[in-house]
Amino acid sequence: MGSADSKLNFRKAVIQLTTKTQPVEATDDAFWDQFWADTATSVQDVFALVPAAEIRAVREESPSNLATLCYKAVEKLVQGAESGCHSEKEKQIVLNCSRLLTRVLPYIFEDPDWRGFFWSTVPGAGRGGGEDDDENARPLAESLLLAVADLLFCPDFTVQSHRRSTVDLAEDLHSLDSCEYIWEAGVGFAHSPQPSYIHDMNRTELLKLLLTCFSEAMYLPPAPDSGSTNPWVQFFCSTENRHALPLFTSLLNTVCAYDPVGYGIPYNHLLFSDYREPLVEEAAQVLIVTLDHDSATSANPTVDGTTTGTAMDDVDPPGPENLFVNYLSRIHREEGIARLLSNPLLQTYLPNSTKKIQFHQELLVLFWKLCDFNKKFLFFVLKSSDVLDILVPILYFLNDARADQSRVGLMHIGVFILLLLSGERNFGVRLNKPYSVRVPMDIPVFTGTHADLLIVVFHKIITSGHQRLQPLFDCLLTIVVNVSPYLKSLSMVAANKLLHLLEAFSTTWFLFSAAQNHHLVFFLLEVFNNIIQYQFDGNSNLVYAIIRKRSVFHQLANLPTDPPAIHKALQRRRRAPEPLSRTGSQEGASMEGSRPAAPAEPGTLKTSLVATPGIDKLTEKSQVSEDGTLRSLEPAPQQSSADGSPAEEEPSQAWQDQRRLSSASASGQWSPTSEWVLSWKSKLPLQTIMRLLQVLVPQVEKICIDKGLTDESEILRFLQHGTLVGLLPVPHPILIRKYQANSGTAMWFRTYMWGVIYLRNVDPPVWYDTDVKLFEIQRV
């Protein structure tokens, strides 16, 4: 039968279904088989031939027929899994049912009355044949998920058959050890099967159905306390699924082994990737969704902040364990996932990469999950230089996306990953490695280290990014604070950028115009103090820049606090431009071959995000002891102070006060008071810098007068050999703000991840024009 006839017959069946007002019996195979038995329709055909309006009409007007359609389609998948899909016809039926369910499921999820349907054991239709009651007891959702899992390891359909000859009996899917059929070499599996594009295409279709099953999460509004697990994911990743381990391994290895250029033959991406890339994308999306797990609620912190399992925990674990999270948290370091992960990441932007992959956001979420759930992995990544292979692509994306409001989510995940990494000492140490890769980036040319690159990119984001990135400024500067004690030698370019930020953030109108703005000055002063106290010797460029801009520090020390001065500063604001757009930092030429960061094209779709948790919620303060170990400065877990936020130590008392004094800021009615300015001005950590200026400025001035110098190299030489030993205040303890998982970030990630998946699935447009509740779809 020709493809046109096939489509016509399928369309006729759909019309019959939408026009029948009477229920069609489940036993009427002649009717139901029209949907899957005799047709050869692609997934795109199914989307075109089954319009949204008709699915909704059947749902409203003949619900029992929609119920029977779902039930019969699941039944066909179960039969396919039981028989092993040996004939072409059986394979076609499985694919057709899979496509049909992918089309229909979102319309089941968007209607709250239907949401329980797949979890009911009695479908809304009689059953044909006398199956044993045992099977009858399984909810439809479970039968569907188990059938898909079986079908993903079906010889000659989704995996290579191990049969020696056609004489051997067919492999029985129920006795088959799927661990021998893992899709790709990598973690826990050494053998790389021969690629087969038919198998890849079949896997992709089944994974698309799986992702659609999991997408019920998109139809529930974001709730702050929704640690509620996704029942589809929960069941699929439980011990009920005997393929959980080989499937997790297959998905992870498929993503990590993907090399868009290679597979031995250079530039054959047209031959290979065209069918491999959709599988890798689908695998990455399924993986990150199965790993959507609120790690903040899963562990039970004890009083000392460590997580311990008591005998009681074993008796009553907090909900069924998600095996995918469990496996991810146990991956061993030798397996070099960092290298594997940085390979596709590098391919997303290297100038000579012939094929840029598009799923870098999914890769970043996956990397985030790995570091968040697997501390061993995090330490391993940081011990090797691999972390720089991940840092550079992230900085590239951050710089490239900074002006594009449709990529605000990408900016957040990149910054969150760097915040997580910056909590570890090794990350700061690694940043001292010279930066020589010359990826064209729209940033000033500099010679220096990876730390310089990070500071120059952060400066670019803050001074020329989209205004919706303002909530990230605290995060960006916290990262710089966390790494600052380890930075051996900043370049002059980076040093000037840091001082330019201080200059911009310490203007009176900026400090007085919002309740939180002064935090940025505190962070920058902390950076300068860490470097002066712990890395003075190699940092003559920064010391020189501080001396040149000494007036900024004097202005801060003499910040006016009387009401008329505050009023005057705010008046000036109405006339003055934004302080950050000032070109007060000598920009210098951008790198050759780079393109400026472009704003979003008008009409670009984007999905909304929930608010970014504040830095005090995102991080927990720790003090670095003499031996390099960290001691938490937070009180016992989640003991709240009166205003409902976790109580904090003395250093942030000013911020607590200020939160109280500025409680009205949300309504826009907030205005600064003298008491408020005094409450934090008195805590500005200026002593170290003032002492440095007091000692060095006279000496530098003397050199200039004696030698009639205007040449900075002589001054730099003097500063390089200078020392402040014994002249500075006692070094303060190093404070690190480590990322802290909490339900706010879990919700942020859930919203972001599903938003990415929604926007990336356009062919076919699985969720397009359905009534999603987790986020809003907006046009730029």
Side-chain angles (χ1 to χ4, degrees):
M1 176 167 59
S3 154
D5 297 343
S6 177
K7 283 187 203 173
L8 195 62
N9 291 349
F10 179 74
R11 179 65 191 138
K12 278 186 189 152
V14 174
I15 291 169
Q16 284 178 30
L17 182 69
T18 51
T19 50
K20 280 190 192 295
T21 45
Q22 293 307 307
V24 184
E25 281 302 318
T27 46
D28 184 352
D29 285 335
F31 176 75
W32 296 112
D33 283 350
Q34 304 177 89
F35 288 96
W36 39 73
D38 311 318
T39 59
T41 42
S42 69
V43 67
Q44 284 78 9
D45 292 338
V46 171
F47 272 68
L49 300 170
V50 188
E54 294 182 16
I55 304 174
R56 290 190 177 114
V58 176
R59 187 183 71 195
E60 306 309 321
E61 286 145 38
S62 29
S64 75
N65 287 345
L66 182 60
T68 307
L69 179 72
C70 292
Y71 158 63
K72 294 294 284 187
V74 171
E75 184 184 60
K76 287 290 169 202
L77 291 179
V78 171
Q79 285 167 7
E82 304 218 315
S83 73
C85 279
H86 296 296
S87 68
E88 283 310 309
K89 176 159 185 166
E90 285 175 287
K91 292 174 182 161
Q92 196 55 59
I93 288 176
V94 162
L95 291 171
N96 287 336
C97 290
S98 178
R99 291 161 188 163
L100 196 58
L101 285 166
T102 301
R103 179 62 173 139
V104 170
L105 273 166
Y107 298 91
I108 302 257
F109 295 149
E110 72 176 2
D111 184 337
D113 297 338
W114 274 82
R115 235 167 254 146
F117 166 70
F118 269 87
W119 295 96
S120 55
T121 38
V122 185
R127 280 184 179 248
E131 293 146 48
D132 39 285
D133 294 340
D134 219 0
E135 276 300 306
N136 272 352
R138 260 209 194 286
L140 203 50
E142 295 185 5
S143 303
L144 170 55
L145 291 171
L146 293 175
V148 171
D150 276 338
L151 287 163
L152 285 167
F153 292 101
C154 182
D156 285 330
F157 180 52
T158 49
V159 292
Q160 227 130 25
S161 170
H162 291 187
R163 277 183 301 167
R164 298 281 172 277
S165 69
T166 44
V167 185
D168 286 1
L169 284 172
E171 289 143 301
D172 172 19
L173 275 194
H174 288 280
S175 60
L176 171 139
D177 176 6
S178 41
C179 286
E180 293 172 12
Y181 291 85
I182 287 171
W183 301 350
E184 188 56 71
V187 173
F189 195 67
H191 166 69
S192 188
Q194 201 46 43
S196 149
Y197 82 95
I198 305 274
H199 295 170
D200 277 1
M201 281 163 34
N202 295 340
R203 291 165 180 173
T204 304
E205 299 250 18
L206 290 166
L207 290 178
K208 198 173 285 298
L209 170 57
L210 202 50
L211 194 60
T212 309
C213 291
F214 296 157
S215 70
E216 185 175 10
M218 280 197 213
Y219 297 90
L220 304 170
D225 52 345
S226 65
S228 56
T229 37
N230 180 328
W232 294 86
V233 170
Q234 189 177 337
F235 179 79
F236 190 76
C237 298
S238 72
T239 47
E240 295 272 347
N241 177 1
R242 69 188 187 94
H243 302 294
L245 178 60
L247 191 58
F248 170 77
T249 311
S250 293
L251 294 170
L252 188 64
N253 292 353
T254 299
V255 172
C256 290
Y258 181 54
D259 175 356
V261 181
Y263 278 89
I265 311 161
Y267 306 116
N268 72 338
H269 63 268
L270 294 172
L271 304 173
F272 182 76
S273 297
D274 285 354
Y275 57 87
R276 192 73 194 212
E277 184 164 13
L279 171 64
V280 177
E281 295 200 2
E282 213 68 56
Q285 291 177 2
V286 168
L287 255 183
I288 60 179
V289 169
T290 52
L291 296 168
D292 177 19
H293 175 72
D294 188 346
S295 56
T297 55
S298 60
N300 300 322
T302 51
V303 181
D304 63 352
T306 56
T307 49
T308 52
T310 61
M312 274 176 60
D313 294 344
D314 298 336
V315 184
D316 188 13
E321 273 302 295
N322 176 325
L323 291 178
F324 278 35
V325 172
N326 188 341
Y327 298 143
L328 188 78
S329 66
R330 291 192 319 202
I331 285 173
H332 299 305
R333 61 198 185 89
E334 316 68 66
E335 289 162 324
I337 286 210
R339 194 188 66 251
L340 296 172
L341 212 67
S342 65
N343 179 44
L345 262 182
L346 287 165
Q347 290 297 346
T348 51
Y349 80 96
L350 284 178
N352 58 354
S353 124
T354 46
K355 182 164 181 19
K356 296 213 186 327
I357 60 174
Q358 299 301 319
F359 54 98
H360 47 272
Q361 300 196 82
E362 292 92 323
L363 285 173
L364 290 174
V365 175
L366 181 57
F367 181 72
W368 168 267
K369 300 272 181 202
L370 255 167
C371 292
D372 196 20
F373 295 150
N374 188 335
K375 291 297 172 251
K376 284 198 302 285
F377 172 75
L378 181 58
F379 295 137
F380 173 66
V381 170
L382 292 165
K383 272 226 293 280
S384 65
S385 293
D386 287 344
V387 70
L388 299 178
D389 294 337
I390 283 164
L391 169 72
V392 175
I394 290 175
L395 290 175
Y396 173 85
F397 292 132
L398 290 178
N399 189 55
D400 187 55
R402 67 179 191 263
D404 181 342
Q405 58 165 307
S406 70
R407 290 155 77 195
V408 168
L410 166 64
M411 298 292 296
H412 279 73
I413 175 123
V415 172
F416 287 160
I417 288 175
L418 298 182
L419 178 65
L420 180 72
L421 294 174
S422 74
E424 309 297 331
R425 174 181 178 275
N426 269 337
F427 180 66
V429 173
R430 290 265 160 252
L431 289 178
N432 291 306
K433 190 176 171 184
Y435 175 67
S436 52
V437 195
R438 286 289 173 243
V439 178
M441 285 167 83
D442 173 29
I443 52 173
V445 181
F446 69 91
T447 306
T449 64
H450 284 75
D452 295 309
L453 176 68
L454 179 131
I455 289 169
V456 168
V457 169
F458 283 11
H459 174 269
K460 236 352 184 184
I461 295 167
I462 291 172
T463 55
S464 66
H466 194 271
Q467 74 247 26
R468 301 213 14 215
L469 299 179
Q470 276 208 325
L472 282 177
F473 290 2
D474 275 352
C475 247
L476 290 165
L477 292 186
T478 297
I479 294 165
V480 181
V481 173
N482 282 347
V483 300
S484 59
Y486 311 109
L487 303 183
K488 292 192 172 357
S489 172
L490 287 184
S491 70
M492 191 59 93
V493 172
N496 284 333
K497 297 296 177 212
L498 287 174
L499 279 136
H500 174 238
L501 289 178
L502 182 71
E503 218 177 342
F505 290 148
S506 58
T507 59
T508 48
W509 80 255
F510 182 77
L511 284 173
F512 298 161
S513 61
Q516 312 284 328
N517 284 356
H518 64 282
H519 293 185
L520 300 171
V521 168
F522 274 80
F523 287 138
L524 285 163
L525 291 175
E526 213 174 316
V527 170
F528 299 144
N529 288 338
N530 282 342
I531 293 178
I532 292 166
Q533 289 280 18
Y534 292 99
Q535 299 289 351
F536 178 80
D537 285 351
N539 274 296
S540 50
N541 288 329
L542 181 68
V543 174
Y544 178 68
I546 288 174
I547 291 173
R548 272 191 45 220
K549 294 282 183 189
R550 57 189 178 276
S551 60
V552 181
F553 299 96
H554 291 299
Q555 279 161 10
L556 271 173
N558 300 314
L559 192 71
T561 56
D562 54 303
I566 294 174
H567 180 72
K568 192 171 148 201
L570 292 174
Q571 288 308 105
R572 197 173 320 141
R573 174 192 195 178
R574 308 224 158 75
R575 296 193 301 274
E578 288 272 317
L580 293 180
S581 56
R582 278 212 324 235
T583 48
S585 83
Q586 299 75 32
E587 259 308 273
S590 271
M591 291 175 67
E592 210 175 316
S594 65
R595 292 190 315 275
E601 289 289 323
T604 308
L605 286 181
K606 63 189 180 88
T607 52
S608 61
L609 294 163
V610 291
T612 317
I615 196 74
D616 50 339
K617 297 269 189 297
L618 265 178
T619 55
E620 161 184 280
K621 284 211 199 69
S622 306
Q623 196 169 310
V624 181
S625 315
E626 295 288 311
D627 59 358
T629 54
L630 288 179
R631 186 171 68 83
S632 173
L633 289 181
E634 303 289 330
Q638 297 312 310
Q639 153 202 340
S640 292
S641 54
D643 64 350
S645 58
E648 283 188 310
E649 287 281 298
E650 163 53 26
S652 56
Q653 195 50 51
W655 298 8
Q656 292 291 75
D657 298 344
Q658 160 263 311
R659 210 186 287 135
R660 201 185 63 246
L661 290 165
S662 63
S663 53
S665 61
S667 60
Q669 293 308 303
W670 179 81
S671 61
T673 60
S674 291
E675 300 79 58
W676 171 76
V677 179
L678 281 165
S679 73
W680 56 260
K681 179 187 169 181
S682 59
K683 297 195 168 67
L684 283 167
L686 287 165
Q687 303 82 334
T688 301
I689 294 170
M690 289 309 192
R691 183 78 187 122
L692 172 140
L693 293 172
Q694 195 186 350
V695 174
L696 293 179
V697 169
Q699 298 180 348
V700 169
E701 283 175 341
K702 185 171 178 339
I703 293 176
C704 294
I705 293 163
D706 290 356
K707 306 205 172 169
L709 273 184
T710 48
D711 173 25
E712 47 183 62
S713 59
E714 184 80 23
I715 299 169
L716 281 168
R717 228 185 341 268
F718 162 73
L719 293 173
Q720 267 159 12
H721 298 110
T723 173
L724 291 175
V725 174
L727 297 172
L728 291 177
V730 178
H732 54 283
I734 297 174
L735 271 190
I736 300 288
R737 293 176 183 80
K738 283 176 83 93
Y739 164 76
Q740 186 55 31
N742 62 52
S743 48
T745 45
M747 194 65 235
W748 189 92
F749 273 99
R750 182 170 310 144
T751 314
Y752 168 61
M753 169 182 80
W754 280 113
V756 168
I757 291 171
Y758 177 98
L759 291 173
R760 300 257 299 107
N761 282 272
V762 287
D763 182 26
V766 183
W767 299 280
Y768 196 69
D769 275 346
T770 60
D771 189 15
V772 295
K773 294 277 194 294
L774 185 60
F775 45 78
E776 289 167 34
I777 293 91
Q778 301 156 338
R779 271 190 197 284
V780 172

